[in-house]
Each structure stands twice: as structure tokens, then as C-alpha cells.
Amino acid sequence: TRRSSDLFLYANIKELETLKYETMKKLLLAFSLLFCVTLTLLAQNNKAEIKFNKTTCSLGKFSEKQPIQKCTFTFTNVGSAPLIINQAVASCGCTIPTYTKTPIKPGESGEIVVTYNGTGKFPGLFKKTVTVRTNAATEMTRLYIEGEMEAAK
């Protein structure tokens, strides 16, 4: 009976060790998940954020004799990390955006100047799009320029 009680005791010790091991695995998994969630939240809080003074610019009416018109969109980095404009792409070759290439620090401003060239285009209403891609929390923003080119008299 001494032998059977030793075996019983050994079996209980093995069961306790297994239970302890399983509990440690669960705790380690829980802490790992908590750590990942915390890192994700911290990373989201440390992002750039772009805020434009306007997203639509009206050029109004202008003559076909002066087909080149410019519009400036000013933006501010209201986030907590440097803002980088990766690209600004126009919807057509008659619209050319130029933009601040250097990183914009939090609280600072930059600009996107859009030039519309109506040379050789038919007079009338138009609306062009410039798609801006950044590293901000809102990665893509669309800007619009519109106006009416009147026929030369």
C-alpha cells in the first residue's frame, strides 16, 4: 500500500505541475495580448493628422485669354507626428499640383498649389480633382477646383 500511495502522490504532483504549467501559459498569453493592444493604441495616438482650410476652390469665371489659373490649399498638421505628403495626383493633365515635400511638424502648416491650364480646352464649366496621399490617420484626401472658362470675346 505504501507503493500505491506513492504512485497516487506522484500522480497528484504531476497533475499539479501540469495545471501550474497550463495556468502560466494562459497568463503569458493574456499579458502578450494586453501588451500588443497597448502598443497598437499608443501607435494610433502618435499619428500625423492633416486639416485643410478648404477642400474646394472656386476659380469663378475667367476668360479664355487668361487660361492659367492658380489655387492654394493650406493645411495644418494637427496630429502628434510629422506629416509627410507622399503624392498629390490630378485627375487630368490640365491640372498640376505642387506641394510641400519636407515633413511638416505637428502644429505647422504647408500648402498645395494647384494650377489649372485651360489652354486648348473648350470654354465652359469644369471641376477637377486632386487626390492627396499622406502618412496621416486619414491617408487620402480629395481636393477639388472648379470654375468656368468663358470664350474670348
Side-chain angles (χ1 to χ4, degrees):
T1 64
R2 175 137 166 73
R3 181 129 169 100
S4 65
S5 67
D6 284 348
L7 283 174
F8 178 73
L9 198 59
Y10 178 76
N12 281 342
I13 290 173
K14 278 296 190 189
E15 192 175 309
L16 283 174
E17 285 178 352
T18 304
L19 187 61
K20 181 178 165 186
Y21 177 72
E22 292 298 319
T23 305
M24 285 176 40
K25 277 186 7 183
K26 288 178 183 175
L27 279 173
L28 182 62
L29 179 64
F31 281 121
S32 297
L33 286 172
L34 182 65
F35 181 72
C36 289
V37 168
T38 303
L39 279 180
T40 302
L41 289 174
L42 287 174
Q44 287 177 348
N45 290 337
N46 193 20
K47 276 239 172 199
E49 187 59 53
I50 192 166
K51 183 171 176 23
F52 283 93
N53 65 331
K54 60 186 172 189
T55 54
T56 301
C57 179
S58 177
L59 299 174
K61 293 182 179 185
F62 59 92
S63 172
E64 190 178 17
K65 291 179 182 177
Q66 295 177 321
I68 298 174
Q69 300 289 314
K70 290 186 181 212
C71 181
T72 301
F73 295 91
T74 303
F75 61 86
T76 303
N77 179 1
V78 294
S80 57
L83 172 71
I84 298 169
I85 297 180
N86 297 319
Q87 65 178 183
V89 181
S91 59
C92 128
C94 62
T95 308
I96 300 170
T98 56
Y99 56 92
T100 307
K101 304 276 195 270
T102 57
I104 308 296
K105 294 177 185 171
E108 292 187 0
S109 297
E111 60 184 26
I112 297 176
V113 178
V114 180
T115 304
Y116 173 77
N117 186 347
T119 305
K121 304 287 181 199
F122 288 107
L125 293 170
F126 64 89
K127 185 171 187 174
K128 303 297 177 184
T129 305
V130 175
T131 303
V132 180
R133 296 193 186 275
T134 68
N135 69 327
T138 306
E139 295 177 1
M140 185 185 77
T141 306
R142 285 202 170 91
L143 305 175
Y144 303 95
I145 62 164
E146 56 190 19
E148 183 176 359
M149 185 167 68
E150 296 179 323
K153 296 177 182 177

